[in-house]
Amino acid sequence: NILKSLLKFLDTKNISPQEIREELLVWSLTEKLKNLKQSEDFKKQMKHSQILLNHLDNEIKFSKITIDVKSNLNEKVLVELSVNLGLLNIEEFFSKNELDGLKRLVKIRNGISHGEKNAIVLQGLDDIQEYIVLVSKLMDNWIALIDDFLSNQKYLKNNI
């Protein structure tokens, strides 16, 4: 998965919490904050607080983060992932038509996988070709977005 590779790459950069974009910092702390919040007894809260503080003293690590695509990588999830990564210029890489096309494609996929539809009605090969082109464009755009993010070191605060 390209996002897992991206997160592993960021781990190699040994980025301190002071250098990293706030979106990425918060994302890297999500699990630790959740553990702190869910700790009921005071000793566990102290333990999780210490883990959180230690994390803030060391470089940020991302490779253990779970990427939740909420069962479908639809247009909303794509935008949410982009925001979490600090990829705020998503509209430069994905047109409204492409995001709408993704929404339609996921709707067709869900209808089939959930048994609502047992067949897809297509007007012809042009419909299939349209979705093949759409998926290719979406993948190319996602790679371009990540390439821009890495090439311009947009994971750092100073490069926003």
Side-chain angles (χ1 to χ4, degrees):
N1 169 323
I2 194 167
L3 286 180
K4 278 293 189 189
S5 297
L6 170 66
L7 296 177
K8 285 180 184 177
F9 172 79
L10 289 176
D11 280 354
T12 68
K13 293 299 194 178
N14 299 321
I15 305 167
S16 74
Q18 294 76 27
E19 298 172 303
I20 199 139
R21 291 183 66 158
E22 290 170 1
E23 298 89 354
L24 288 167
L25 177 62
V26 170
W27 200 30
S28 75
L29 295 174
T30 300
E31 195 64 35
K32 290 166 185 60
L33 291 169
K34 189 185 330 177
N35 290 339
L36 178 60
K37 183 179 178 182
Q38 292 174 347
S39 299
E40 297 204 11
D41 78 34
F42 189 68
K43 285 185 180 182
K44 284 185 180 177
Q45 287 177 350
M46 288 177 47
K47 176 186 165 198
H48 290 296
S49 295
Q50 191 59 48
I51 290 169
L52 181 62
L53 291 173
N54 287 341
H55 186 74
L56 291 173
D57 286 337
N58 298 313
E59 64 268 353
I60 302 297
K61 295 294 180 194
F62 294 96
S63 58
K64 294 183 180 170
I65 292 176
T66 301
I67 300 169
D68 183 10
V69 295
K70 299 174 182 31
S71 78
N72 288 307
L73 183 56
N74 60 29
E75 81 288 355
K76 290 178 185 175
V77 174
L78 184 63
V79 170
E80 182 181 323
L81 279 173
S82 298
V83 169
N84 287 348
L85 284 169
L87 303 169
L88 302 177
N89 56 341
I90 189 170
E91 63 280 347
E92 290 178 29
F93 294 90
F94 296 97
S95 71
K96 181 170 177 7
N97 286 342
E98 290 166 340
L99 293 175
D100 288 344
L102 177 59
K103 185 177 185 175
R104 286 190 313 274
L105 187 59
V106 169
K107 187 176 179 178
I108 290 169
R109 178 249 174 233
N110 286 345
I112 294 168
S113 68
H114 297 292
E116 297 163 11
K117 297 179 182 177
N118 55 10
I120 305 173
V121 178
L122 298 171
Q123 300 301 319
L125 291 177
D126 288 345
D127 286 349
I128 296 170
Q129 183 64 28
E130 178 185 331
Y131 284 115
I132 291 170
V133 169
L134 171 68
V135 170
S136 295
K137 279 184 180 179
L138 290 168
M139 291 188 317
D140 289 346
N141 293 352
W142 185 244
I143 290 168
L145 179 67
I146 291 174
D147 182 58
D148 177 65
F149 177 76
L150 294 174
S151 298
N152 295 308
Q153 296 183 328
K154 291 185 176 181
Y155 48 86
L156 299 175
K157 278 184 185 177
N158 297 335
N159 296 337
I160 298 176

